[in-house]
Structures are given as C-alpha cells and as structure tokens.
Amino acid sequence: MSDHERQPMFNAPWPAVLVTLVIVIGYFFQTFFSQNWLLQTYAFSSQAMGEGRWETLFTSIFLHGNWAHALMNAGAALAFGTPVARYFGASVRGALVFLVFYLLCGGLASLGYGLSNPGSSALMIGASGAVSGLVGGSARLMGGHGLPGSYFSAPVVSMTIGWIVVNLLLAFLGFAPGLGDAGVAWEAHIFGYIAGLVLVGVFGRLADLARA
C-alpha cells in the first residue's frame, strides 16, 4: 500500500469527537458546582417526569457520577459515534442530524426508564442512554456495510442479543465497574439501543435531504 492510500490512525469524524469532548469537558465543569443541586435540578426520574419536568429527559444526559462514569461514556461515544457520524456526513447539516439523533436517543432512553419505573424518585444521570443509541445505529450500519442493514442481519441480531444479555446481567448484579454504589439504568440502555436501531435509517434519509 502506498503512503497516500494509508488511513490515519485517528480519523473519527468531528461530530463524534465533539460529543466525546462535551462529555469530558461537561463533567469537568460539573465538578465546580454543588452536586446535590445539579442532581435535584437536572437529573431525570419518573417522579420528575410526573411533575412535568420534561427537560430532565435531556439535561440528565450531560451529568455524570464520577470521572470513570464520564470517561467510559466518552470512550463508547467515540467508538460507536464514529460510524454513525460518518454515515450522516461531516458537513454542518450532517453534524446537526447526528446531534439530534444522539439527543433523541438519549431522551427516549430516559423516557423508557421512566415508564419502566413509574413513580420512582430514583435519579438517573449519564450519557449512556444516548450512547446506547449510537451502539444500535452502529449495529444497523454494520449489518449493511456502512448503510442501514436488515434487522435480521447477523451483526444486528448478534449485537442485539449481546446488548440485552449484558444489560440483564447488569440488572441482576446491580452495579457496573466505575459507578461505585450507584445503580445501573439498564432499562435506559435497552430503550436507547432500540431507538438507535430504528431511527438511524430515518435520520440517514434526513441527512440525504440535507445534502440534496
């Protein structure tokens, strides 16, 4: 292979890098504020949803419990956001499609968690629901070799089964590495994954319209 054909070791699209940096830098600034105030104001819970505080579906995405939590989500966002961002395109419009996709998956993940735990006051924070949407989107793209593939393709089926099994194990164990005593919102992970699996094709068409 000639030099001009070699791909750089790090060539993630800038929208995926941006989301990664938002997670890391966001937690850095979070450490300067009262954590109790942030959680009570911006974390998501079924109770908050019942009180009409729908904004917490999205604000909770930008909060994390500790550095390990933030860095794990940042690493996953970069890994799984790269193929999704590449599919939507690196233009400004493609980046906007990517960011709306990411936030919508996160919001639907929070909503799924709230509906699964009606009336609960347990607070949920973290980008893992939104990142799960990137995982679901990546599964479809793997199944279609860069385009949204069949729901029954081998990559989609295997990743979906693996994702559900891993999260059910997390539910059974009640914790995950790096989260300390905090519980795992495994329901949000599954709902976010399903949202990404379904919506990546819809948002891909929006990106195509933006490019037209």
Side-chain angles (χ1 to χ4, degrees), residues 139-209:
R140 284 285 304 282
L141 295 175
M142 288 176 61
H145 304 288
L147 296 173
S150 167
Y151 290 108
F152 302 102
S153 64
V156 172
V157 171
S158 60
M159 285 186 69
T160 301
I161 292 174
W163 193 252
I164 292 173
V165 168
V166 166
N167 279 283
L168 289 179
L169 284 174
L170 291 176
F172 177 76
L173 294 173
F175 72 93
L179 294 185
D181 296 329
V184 179
W186 60 273
E187 303 97 329
H189 297 172
I190 292 177
F191 276 99
Y193 177 89
I194 294 171
L197 201 68
V198 173
L199 293 176
V200 67
V202 176
F203 276 78
R205 288 190 286 274
L206 290 177
D208 287 339
L209 288 174

Side-chain angles (χ1 to χ4, degrees), residues 26-123:
Y27 183 70
F28 171 76
F29 283 108
Q30 180 185 331
T31 61
F32 291 96
F33 293 86
S34 165
Q35 300 307 295
N36 184 62
W37 173 77
L38 283 173
L39 293 176
Q40 294 301 320
T41 307
Y42 298 112
F44 175 79
S45 69
S46 178
Q47 186 178 70
M49 185 172 66
E51 294 171 353
R53 295 165 53 207
W54 293 91
E55 73 279 1
T56 60
L57 287 167
F58 302 99
T59 57
S60 58
I61 297 171
F62 299 95
L63 300 177
H64 288 85
N66 53 39
W67 273 113
H69 187 204
L71 291 175
M72 282 192 297
N73 277 335
L78 184 61
F80 293 101
T82 291
V84 176
R86 188 170 289 133
Y87 168 57
F88 292 150
S91 67
V92 173
R93 289 182 178 180
L96 287 175
V97 171
F98 173 79
L99 293 174
V100 173
F101 172 82
Y102 173 80
L103 290 173
L104 182 57
C105 287
L108 291 173
S110 298
L111 180 61
Y113 175 82
L115 295 175
S116 301
N117 298 274
S120 173
S121 60
L123 299 176

Side-chain angles (χ1 to χ4, degrees), residues 7-26:
Q7 295 294 319
M9 183 178 296
F10 183 81
N11 61 349
W14 69 267
V17 175
L18 176 62
V19 165
T20 303
L21 292 176
V22 166
I23 294 173
V24 175
I25 296 174

